[in-house]
Amino acid sequence: MTVISETEAHFTANSARDKHPLPATRNQAEHAVGAASAESEEVVRLHHVNRRFGTTQALKDVSLTVKRGEIVGIIGRSGAGKSTLIRCLNGLERPDDGIIEIEGNPITGLSEKQLQSVRSRVGMVFQHFNLLSAKTVEQNVALPLKIAGYDKAQRKARVAELLALVGLEDKAAQYPAALSGGQKQRVGIARALAANPALLLCDEATSALDPETTRSILALLQSLNQKLGITVLLITHEMEVIKKVAHRVAVLNGGEIIEEGPVWQVFAHPQSALTRTLLSGLLPQLPEALAEKLSQHRAGEAIYSVHYAAQDDVGQARQGEILTLMAAELAGQFRLIQGGVDHIQHYAVVRFFFSVPVANAESEQNILHWLQQQQAHVELIGYVTGHA
């Protein structure tokens, strides 16, 4: 019962039909999004938001803006406050203090009836799909439109358009039980888009899916963002998801945003220990056998890590360019241990580890000076005696 009532809380949101008319075609939908863009640059604004449950502070002084057309990821471990944040955004939770605005309209302090018109601008995609098993795909997608009072012809036209948009035009008459997990999530996305929202909230939308299906759903979200200009706020605990689709990322820990910025920048220069931990599976790491030998006693070899980001030139990746230059200009002065390059938002993001003999202080200084000139972030992580 709880799941259905939470889902229907979003469906009943579309009573303000005269304010946001339902586009009958995709062209009209795109025109409506373009018109709305002129109204407000910021789709979401949180300003010093706090939410407490007894002695537990689920959100602590959270401030964040999401601009129209952005895909912004909110990442954090279980218990970080992600679910509370998303429930505050869709009006299912009320913050104790602070300001939340959707398209410039404050939602804190609104009555349940007043919240309905705000929710009409917010689509919700759930982790476990939340489809009604007794209704067909077509009926599930049409449900928010039916509740809002659209006639049968309008509903049928809009549902057909949406199912084509998510690649399920041949599944309209099927029931959820006959669908795969990825197909169910596509139905959930189509339903969330039914009333042409300005904002799509995705709450762990891929965490119940296998890796291949996850990739297809993320590609769909990217496509919808590009075709419709829809703003997406993605709640996840998977940094891989952030890397694939988000433009910006905010790291949530203990109810606080501890780091925020463009995805490429956060990958290239993670500031917090938590962010570095979340990235550990995606970025090259020091070999375990070598890490176990690390000491703070200056002897043997000094081990350094390097983070570096360079913008790709007209889409041509500058793969490993810093290593090529380093090897050419400082040949024989260092030993490369491990490294790799990734490409995020037209940036080549490089991380590698190298060592230099402590006895050769001149080489060490030459290398550090050269890397600083390249605007690379260099960190001494310890010393080892002998080779790993």
Side-chain angles (χ1 to χ4, degrees), residues 64-144:
L64 181 71
T65 59
V66 182
K67 293 183 179 180
R68 194 169 300 280
E70 278 193 304
I71 301 178
V72 175
I74 307 289
I75 190 165
R77 292 170 169 161
S78 297
K82 304 189 300 297
S83 294
T84 301
L85 177 61
I86 209 167
R87 288 173 66 84
C88 284
L89 283 170
N90 62 26
L92 294 176
E93 291 284 353
R94 296 178 184 269
D96 295 299
D97 45 69
I99 298 169
I100 299 177
E101 294 178 352
I102 303 294
E103 292 189 296
N105 300 309
I107 68 170
T108 44
L110 296 183
S111 67
E112 185 62 28
K113 186 174 182 179
Q114 290 170 322
L115 274 171
Q116 288 181 2
S117 63
V118 175
R119 291 200 189 110
S120 70
R121 303 296 291 153
V122 180
M124 187 79 195
V125 181
F126 300 90
Q127 177 180 2
H128 295 295
F129 324 129
N130 287 18
L131 303 181
L132 303 178
S133 60
K135 294 186 180 294
T136 65
V137 166
E138 182 178 29
Q139 291 168 337
N140 266 280
V141 176
L143 182 60

Side-chain angles (χ1 to χ4, degrees), residues 303-321:
I303 309 296
Y304 288 91
S305 69
V306 178
H307 284 86
Y308 173 76
Q311 194 163 12
D312 292 348
D313 293 327
V314 197
Q316 298 299 311
R318 290 162 47 163
Q319 229 179 76
E321 182 177 290

Side-chain angles (χ1 to χ4, degrees), residues 338-349:
Q338 185 158 304
V341 62
D342 214 334
H343 302 287
I344 305 169
Q345 299 173 332
H346 307 296
Y347 280 82
V349 177

